[in-house]
């Protein structure tokens, strides 16, 4: 069973930059895993920010960018705003078996 | 606009079953896959399975394989997730979420349905 690993928590100052990462126990993350990033604020449903590793949805602020970096998927927030404080989840597709697996989530604190 | 509207909260006793619905609107129901995801209180997101609304074919996460059934009604553009043999650990918010049929693009989510399992 694939395990997807994220940093449990990170802290960033307003206006700063932070990178969250997402690793797979099966090896290097590539585009075939369709890396997806979601944001969830308390009491709300998740919101999809990034799909297919690097693509923003129309509603995703430009300060959110994503990449494949050193065998991991990465989400970078630049010019962090107080409203970016949230839980961020990585989601990967595993082709054998054909399942989707969430990471444990990163709690981002803006302080 | 795309909307996924889920049914209301449920309270069930251990051993019972629950059926949660997700009504889609604003797009062609059979052109997108739909997933079910759950989140126990204070915990992370957990993928439960996927259904192709066009064919009705499903793939379930192994841990739910023997207890979950995902179905759809194309006449009403509604998706259903039934979970049987409920136990207290199944207390969670259950979400439906849409994904494109090519490219694995997740986009819209339902608002969530709280299922509480308690004696």
């Amino acid at each position: 069973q694939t395990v997807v690993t994220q940093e449990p928590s990170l802290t960033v100052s307003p206006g700063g930059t932070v990178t969250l990462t997402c690793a797979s126990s099966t090896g290097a993350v590539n585009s075939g895993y369709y890396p997806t990033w979601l944001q969830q604020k308390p009491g709300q449903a998740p919101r999809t920010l990034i799909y297919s590793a690097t693509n923003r949805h129309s509603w995703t602020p430009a300060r959110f960018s994503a990449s494949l970096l050193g065998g991991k998927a990465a989400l970078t927030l630049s010019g962090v705003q107080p409203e970016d404080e949230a839980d961020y989840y990585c989601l990967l597709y595993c082709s054998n078996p054909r399942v989707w697996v969430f990471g444990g989530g990163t709690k981002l604190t803006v302080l | 606009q795309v909307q996924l509207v889920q049914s209301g909260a449920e309270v069930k006793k251990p051993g019972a079953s629950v059926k949660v619905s997700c009504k889609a609107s604003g797009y062609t129901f059979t052109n997108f896959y739909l997933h079910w995801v759950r989140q126990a209180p204070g915990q992370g997101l957990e993928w439960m399975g996927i259904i192709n609304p066009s064919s009705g074919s499903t793939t379930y996460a192994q841990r739910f394989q023997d207890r979950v059934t995902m179905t759809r009604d194309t006449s009403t553009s509604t998706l259903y997730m039934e979970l049987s043999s409920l136990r207290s650990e199944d207390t969670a918010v259950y979400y439906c979420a849409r994904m494109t049929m090519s490219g694995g693009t997740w986009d819209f989510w339902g608002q969530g349905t709280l299922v509480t399992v308690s004696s």
Side-chain angles (χ1 to χ4, degrees):
Chain A
Q1 177 76 337
T2 301
V3 175
V4 178
T5 301
Q6 300 181 243
E7 297 86 0
S9 63
L10 291 169
T11 300
V12 60
S13 300
T17 297
V18 65
T19 297
L20 290 63
T21 67
C22 171
S24 170
S25 62
T26 58
V29 176
N30 56 48
S31 59
Y33 285 78
Y34 298 103
T36 299
W37 290 94
L38 306 108
Q39 178 192 62
Q40 188 180 35
K41 296 182 179 179
Q44 296 184 15
R47 181 172 74 139
T48 311
L49 296 176
I50 301 288
Y51 63 94
S52 296
T54 62
N55 299 284
R56 281 190 294 266
H57 277 297
S58 58
W59 52 80
T60 304
R63 61 182 181 274
F64 291 87
S65 62
S67 63
L68 295 172
L69 192 67
K72 298 180 181 181
L75 176 70
T76 299
L77 286 70
S78 305
V80 172
Q81 302 296 307
E83 61 265 30
D84 297 333
E85 184 163 291
D87 293 326
Y88 291 85
Y89 291 93
C90 172
L91 172 62
L92 300 179
Y93 174 69
C94 302
S95 58
N96 186 22
R98 291 180 295 169
V99 298
W100 290 83
V101 183
F102 284 96
T106 296
K107 183 175 182 61
L108 182 67
T109 301
V110 181
L111 200 58
Chain B
Q1 72 284 20
V2 174
Q3 284 193 301
L4 299 173
V5 178
Q6 299 184 222
S7 49
E10 303 261 13
V11 179
K12 296 291 182 181
K13 293 195 182 303
S17 296
V18 68
K19 194 169 187 177
V20 179
S21 68
C22 169
K23 183 171 176 58
S25 62
Y27 72 97
T28 303
F29 181 63
T30 51
N31 285 359
F32 291 81
Y33 292 122
L34 283 159
H35 296 269
W36 286 95
V37 174
R38 78 176 188 180
Q39 185 171 38
Q43 303 300 309
L45 300 170
E46 180 175 28
W47 183 78
M48 298 182 68
I50 183 174
I51 184 168
N52 179 336
S54 179
S55 65
S57 65
T58 55
T59 300
Y60 302 137
Q62 187 173 14
R63 63 171 293 184
F64 299 108
Q65 195 85 35
D66 56 348
R67 294 199 297 139
V68 72
T69 304
M70 295 177 188
T71 56
R72 91 289 189 219
D73 182 343
T74 55
S75 68
T76 60
S77 298
T78 303
L79 178 69
Y80 298 95
M81 187 283 299
E82 183 169 23
L83 189 62
S84 62
S85 303
L86 290 170
R87 32 210 189 230
S88 58
E89 309 89 87
D90 294 318
T91 293
V93 177
Y94 291 77
Y95 296 101
C96 57
R98 196 182 80 157
M99 186 183 79
T100 59
M101 287 194 168
S102 64
T105 300
W106 291 58
D107 51 20
F108 294 95
W109 290 68
Q111 84 276 18
T113 296
L114 175 62
V115 175
T116 302
V117 182
S118 173
S119 55

